[in-house]
């Protein structure tokens, strides 16, 4: 069997999932590279005199204090957060293929200039990171807009969470090899390698990905029909986005709260874990990089595993019940693990690492819950909902580094880091309560407006290229749909 034949037999929605996986993989390499590189960029160098054994600390890089480092690390998320809602609108209106690929590709290109901008000073580096955040802001909403066209009900959680898991594999690789690269080469290569990888992926994406099954050149008729029969289709050409209904919907705000709480726990470790391990627990930069990478492996695995389990559970229980169950288990374990880490002193390094691994890994099932919930309640508006929730959900990306810069004045003291862990526990408790009370798994009324009259036509498969071969279409329902569309156009012309 040739490679071409194998490619033809693989369902195209799974190929899209694989491309999306590596898209998130590269996006998070580009996002996390500074977290590990900054240790070497501002790393102090210790010299031990041979006579009296006195340590003298001299700067081995840039002389940025903890507050400056906090602003640099958080700069990415200023513009990233601001672009989420416009990104959701653009993805819903114009499609997600070019936004998703262009977002990662442009960020990769900008990343190549990081060493130059760092040399120019912290202000220049902050500006560059703001530009990178702006270019990355379209990633989640654009892919959710594509999944609303590609992911049938029974594969929805599995496809979305497999793609999400790529982000944590990307973080794992960056943390693991970033410390080694910084220790044995130079920190500049962290940015060069991640930037080149992102550009290569973008070229592959634009060549292989399609906006929807109907535009894919080689998809089989059977797969196209299966996808189309298991999707919700808004028909009206001139539908409007129900902003008021969305913004006043408690299930939407439950997703937003869950997104914020999960990202808070993730970003505490995402931005600060290498520094915590290096400064507070005393690991070398290469050791800190390897140890920082370990927790992202169970997170990446659990995101996908929880997605598969969720798909199976929703065949036996209501979607809302499954989302709340997975979310509750996830946040309870996160809270207990962070409490465990808080109660230990810095001498118990191995136990602290275990607690951190459990805390980060347990964020995976949460993403498999609220991260797919947009598709449950919003269908075609999933891109809008993801943009909205990721807008609020990304604020920890800039709040945590700034907060840490003020709270943790001496990064060598674990008791100051405990304050950050306690805040995280309280946020988890409040978020879980809100999500449990107000989350839903049902398609909301505002997501089904003005389309009921077409559902009997849409319930028939229309993906076949030959309408004469068992597609479920016949002259009667084609004429019926045509008459209704003509009536709609006539109504619009009369109202103008």
């Amino acid at each position: 069997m040739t490679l071409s034949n194998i490619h033809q037999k693989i369902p195209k929605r799974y190929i899209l999932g694989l491309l999306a996986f590596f898209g998130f993989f590269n996006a998070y390499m580009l996002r996390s590279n500074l977290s590990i590189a900054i240790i070497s960029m501002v790393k102090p160098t210790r010299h031990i005199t041979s006579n009296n054994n006195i340590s003298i600390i001299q700067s081995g890089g840039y002389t940025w204090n903890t507050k400056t480092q906090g602003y640099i690390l958080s700069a990415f998320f200023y513009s990233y957060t601001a672009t989420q809602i416009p990104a959701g609108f653009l993805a819903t209106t114009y499609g997600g293929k070019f936004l998703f690929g262009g977002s990662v590709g442009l960020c990769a290109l900008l990343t190549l200039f990081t060493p130059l901008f760092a040399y120019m000073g912290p202000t220049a580096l902050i500006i560059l990171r703001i530009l990178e955040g702006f270019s990355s802001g379209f990633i989640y909403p654009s892919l959710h807009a594509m999944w609303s066209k590609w992911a049938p009900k029974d594969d929805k959680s599995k496809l979305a969470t497999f793609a999400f898991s790529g982000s944590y594999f990307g973080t794992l690789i960056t943390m693991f090899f970033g410390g080694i690269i910084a220790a044995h080469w130079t920190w500049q290569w962290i940015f060069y390698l991640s930037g080149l990888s992102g550009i290569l992926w973008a070229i592959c994406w634009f060549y292989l990905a399609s906006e929807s099954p109907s535009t894919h050149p080689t998809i089989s008729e059977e797969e196209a029909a299966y996808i189309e029969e298991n999707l919700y289709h808004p028909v009206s050409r001139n539908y409007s986005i129900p902003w008021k209904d969305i913004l006043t919907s408690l299930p939407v705000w439950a997703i937003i709260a869950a997104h914020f709480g999960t990202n808070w726990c993730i970003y505490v470790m995402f931005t600060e874990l290498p520094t915590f391990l290096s400064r507070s627990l005393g690991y070398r930069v290469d050791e800190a990089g390897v140890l920082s990478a370990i927790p992202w492996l169970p997170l990446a695995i659990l995101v996908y595993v929880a997605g598969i389990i969720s798909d199976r559970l929703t065949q036996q229980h209501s979607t809302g019940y499954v989302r709340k169950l997975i979310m509750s288990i996830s946040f309870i374990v996160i809270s207990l693990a962070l409490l465990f880490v808080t109660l230990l002193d810095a001498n118990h390094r191995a136990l602290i690492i275990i607690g951190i691994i459990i805390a980060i890994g347990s964020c995976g099932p949460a993403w498999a819950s609220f991260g797919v919930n947009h598709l449950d309640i919003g269908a075609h508006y999933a891109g809008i909902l993801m943009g909205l929730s990721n807008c609020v959900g990304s604020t920890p990306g800039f709040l945590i580094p700034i907060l840490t810069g003020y709270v943790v004045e001496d990064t060598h003291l674990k008791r100051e880091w405990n304050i950050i862990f306690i805040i995280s526990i309280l946020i988890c408790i409040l978020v879980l309560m809100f999500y449990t009370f107000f989350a839903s798994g049902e398609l909301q009324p505002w997501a089904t407006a003005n389309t009921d009259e077409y559902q009997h036509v849409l319930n028939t498969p229309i993906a076949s290229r030959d309408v004469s071969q068992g597609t479920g279409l016949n002259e009667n329902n084609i004429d019926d749909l045509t008459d209704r569309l003509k009536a709609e156009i006539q109504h619009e012309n009369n109202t103008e």
Side-chain angles (χ1 to χ4, degrees):
M1 182 178 291
T2 65
L3 185 62
S4 176
N5 289 335
I6 295 174
H7 178 267
Q8 288 294 328
K9 290 183 177 296
I10 299 175
K12 298 303 178 285
R13 63 188 184 277
Y14 294 154
I15 294 177
L16 180 66
L18 185 63
L19 288 169
F21 171 91
F22 283 107
F24 278 109
F25 179 92
N26 281 279
Y28 270 70
M29 283 205 303
L30 300 169
R31 187 181 305 194
S32 62
N33 50 22
L34 186 61
S35 296
I36 187 66
I38 201 168
I39 299 175
S40 295
M41 294 168 74
V42 297
K43 173 188 161 185
T45 303
R46 291 180 180 270
H47 298 282
I48 309 297
T49 63
S50 57
N51 296 329
N52 51 15
N53 202 35
I54 297 176
S55 298
I56 302 173
I57 300 179
Q58 296 178 337
S59 176
Y62 298 111
T63 56
W64 301 332
N65 59 31
T66 56
K67 292 184 178 65
T68 301
Q69 293 177 52
Y71 284 115
I72 292 172
L73 288 170
S74 64
F76 178 97
F77 296 95
Y78 301 150
S79 52
Y80 178 82
T81 300
T83 55
Q84 293 303 305
I85 296 177
F89 172 78
L90 291 173
T92 301
T93 306
Y94 300 107
K97 174 185 173 180
F98 290 100
L99 289 175
F100 187 70
S103 185
V104 178
L106 179 57
C107 185
L109 180 63
L110 292 170
T111 296
L112 296 175
F113 295 94
T114 302
L116 174 62
F117 277 68
Y119 177 78
M120 294 167 62
T123 301
L125 184 56
I126 287 173
I127 292 172
L128 180 67
R129 292 292 288 182
I130 289 174
L131 292 175
E132 291 177 9
F134 174 82
S135 67
S136 298
F138 297 85
I139 294 172
Y140 278 100
S142 59
L143 190 62
H144 254 47
M146 292 185 69
W147 283 140
S148 70
K149 305 168 189 175
W150 273 97
K153 180 180 178 181
D154 291 340
D155 286 343
K156 184 167 52 180
S157 296
K158 180 170 59 180
L159 287 169
T161 54
F162 178 71
F164 290 154
S165 68
S167 59
Y168 306 119
F169 277 110
T171 304
L172 183 154
I173 293 298
T174 303
M175 296 295 182
F176 186 89
F177 289 104
I180 296 173
I181 292 170
H184 298 283
W185 292 1
T186 62
W187 58 263
Q188 288 89 341
W189 277 102
I190 298 174
F191 300 102
Y192 295 147
L193 293 174
S194 58
L196 290 173
S197 176
I199 291 172
L200 289 174
W201 170 86
I203 294 172
C204 295
W205 170 264
F206 285 120
Y207 180 74
L208 296 172
S210 294
E211 180 66 36
S212 65
S214 63
T215 61
H216 198 288
T218 62
I219 192 171
S220 67
E221 294 181 2
E222 293 78 9
E223 183 182 6
Y226 170 73
I227 293 173
E228 196 157 347
E229 289 170 1
N230 288 276
L231 288 181
Y232 172 80
H233 297 270
V235 175
S236 177
R237 299 177 299 107
N238 296 307
Y239 65 87
S240 59
I241 297 173
W243 287 109
K244 180 180 178 181
D245 292 324
I246 290 174
L247 294 175
T248 56
S249 171
L250 284 175
V252 170
W253 284 102
I255 294 174
I256 293 172
H259 202 150
F260 177 87
T262 306
N263 273 5
W264 180 278
C265 297
I266 289 175
Y267 285 137
V268 163
M269 303 303 174
F270 185 85
T271 59
E272 303 298 339
L273 182 57
T275 301
F276 172 70
L277 295 177
S278 176
R279 305 284 166 75
S280 181
L281 301 188
Y283 289 102
R284 298 194 314 268
V285 61
D286 52 344
E287 294 174 334
V290 172
L291 291 172
S292 297
I294 293 174
W296 303 101
L297 179 59
L299 172 56
I301 294 172
L302 286 173
V303 168
Y304 183 54
V305 171
I308 295 174
I309 294 173
S310 294
D311 278 338
R312 292 182 178 178
L313 288 176
T314 52
Q315 296 174 6
Q316 304 172 16
H317 307 281
S318 71
T319 303
Y321 171 79
V322 173
R323 302 294 183 235
K324 293 178 182 180
L325 174 65
I326 300 292
M327 191 74 181
S328 298
I329 295 172
S330 179
F331 266 48
I332 289 172
V333 175
I334 293 170
S335 300
L336 292 175
L338 289 176
L339 179 62
F340 178 71
V341 171
T342 304
L343 295 175
L344 295 170
D345 60 48
N347 295 326
H348 298 91
R349 298 197 306 180
L351 292 176
I352 290 174
I353 297 295
I354 292 172
I356 289 172
I357 291 172
I358 295 172
I360 296 180
S362 298
C363 293
W367 256 103
S369 179
F370 82 84
V372 188
N373 209 185
H374 312 78
L375 296 163
D376 298 328
I377 70 171
H380 181 70
Y381 299 109
I384 291 286
L385 300 187
M386 176 55 85
L388 185 62
S389 74
N390 207 25
C391 176
V392 179
S394 297
T395 56
F398 63 79
L399 292 176
I400 289 169
I402 295 174
L403 177 66
T404 303
Y406 283 93
V407 171
V408 186
E409 294 184 354
D410 186 347
T411 55
H412 296 87
L413 297 178
K414 182 179 179 293
R415 65 173 179 270
E416 295 189 4
W417 289 97
N418 287 342
I419 299 173
I420 303 298
F421 298 143
I422 292 171
I423 293 172
S424 302
I425 294 170
L426 294 175
I427 288 174
C428 282
I429 294 171
L430 293 175
V431 165
L432 179 57
M433 291 174 62
F434 192 87
Y435 190 84
T436 302
F437 281 117
F438 299 115
S440 174
E442 303 302 321
L443 190 66
Q444 297 300 291
W446 44 262
T448 62
N450 301 321
T451 60
D452 290 342
E453 60 178 333
Y454 302 115
Q455 281 306 111
H456 70 285
V457 179
L458 290 170
N459 285 337
T460 62
I462 61 175
S464 174
R465 284 129 174 94
D466 184 356
V467 297
S468 67
Q469 297 180 357
T471 61
L473 283 177
N474 54 52
E475 292 183 1
N476 290 334
N477 54 22
I478 290 176
D479 291 340
D480 179 59
L481 178 58
T482 302
D483 292 340
R484 291 175 183 274
L485 290 176
K486 285 180 179 179
E488 179 184 328
I489 294 170
Q490 183 64 40
H491 174 73
E492 292 167 358
N493 292 335
N494 293 336
T495 57
E496 289 180 354

